[in-house]
Amino acid sequence: MNRLGMTVPVAGETMAELPAVLDELAGAGYSDIWTSEVNATDAFAPLLMAARQTPRLRLGTSIAGVFSRSPALMAMSALAVAELSDEPIYVGVGSSSQNMVEQWHGTPFVRPYQRVRDTAASCGPRSPGSGSRSMATASRSTASGWPGSRRTRRGS
């Protein structure tokens, strides 16, 4: 199956405008919605809206910064999205940049490779064959295996 993805927000839409954009993308045949953390919302807020609006889309973070949240919070955020989605949630993690980490978040930019590796290792299940890639997945069927997770109302 060919998949077609789009990173949102597309042109700086507000969260209030995002549902209409998601409907338009789904209607145009897009199968994947991705987010990042640059200068708008965090990576998970648009995914929560997308999961609620169009649960059949595959959702993921292009990059979620490991210096702005703990591994446990990363997993909790992914699980919140997974509870609303029919598809697995893909969580790509990265260190961001020294300027963003230190100036925006007030956190020392220390050992970024180790921080990414440790976050990816502690966040739980990964795609089969993913090796050391910084990508984890969460879905209703695997959510019960993540630390602190609970069974969703859909019975997973």
Side-chain angles (χ1 to χ4, degrees):
M1 171 186 195
N2 289 335
R3 301 196 72 92
L4 186 58
M6 178 65 73
T7 301
V8 295
V10 176
E13 298 89 5
T14 65
M15 289 293 287
E17 297 167 310
L18 192 53
V21 172
L22 293 167
D23 286 342
E24 185 177 339
L25 291 172
Y30 282 86
S31 57
D32 298 13
I33 297 296
W34 296 89
T35 60
S36 63
E37 294 179 324
V38 179
N39 59 1
T41 65
D42 73 296
F44 292 98
L47 294 182
L48 281 166
M49 185 170 287
R52 181 83 169 145
Q53 181 81 11
T54 51
R56 70 188 178 284
L57 293 175
R58 188 168 71 165
L59 306 173
T61 64
S62 297
I63 297 295
V66 299
F67 284 97
S68 59
R69 62 181 61 81
S70 69
L73 182 57
M74 185 85 68
M76 291 164 55
S77 297
L79 287 171
V81 177
E83 285 188 15
L84 297 174
S85 179
D86 293 339
E87 296 289 327
I89 305 308
Y90 296 86
V91 182
V93 298
S95 64
S96 187
S97 69
Q98 184 171 3
N99 184 55
M100 287 180 74
V101 170
E102 292 182 348
Q103 300 300 313
W104 292 21
H105 296 287
T107 303
F109 192 70
V110 179
R111 297 186 285 201
Y113 173 78
Q114 181 178 347
R115 181 85 177 239
V116 169
R117 185 192 65 213
D118 292 349
T119 299
S122 66
C123 278
R126 281 167 206 61
S127 303
S130 65
S132 62
R133 290 184 186 165
S134 300
M135 181 75 75
T137 62
S139 68
R140 291 180 311 192
S141 61
T142 63
S144 61
W146 288 47
S149 64
R150 63 188 181 281
R151 297 181 76 76
T152 67
R153 40 178 212 279
R154 294 185 186 186
S156 61

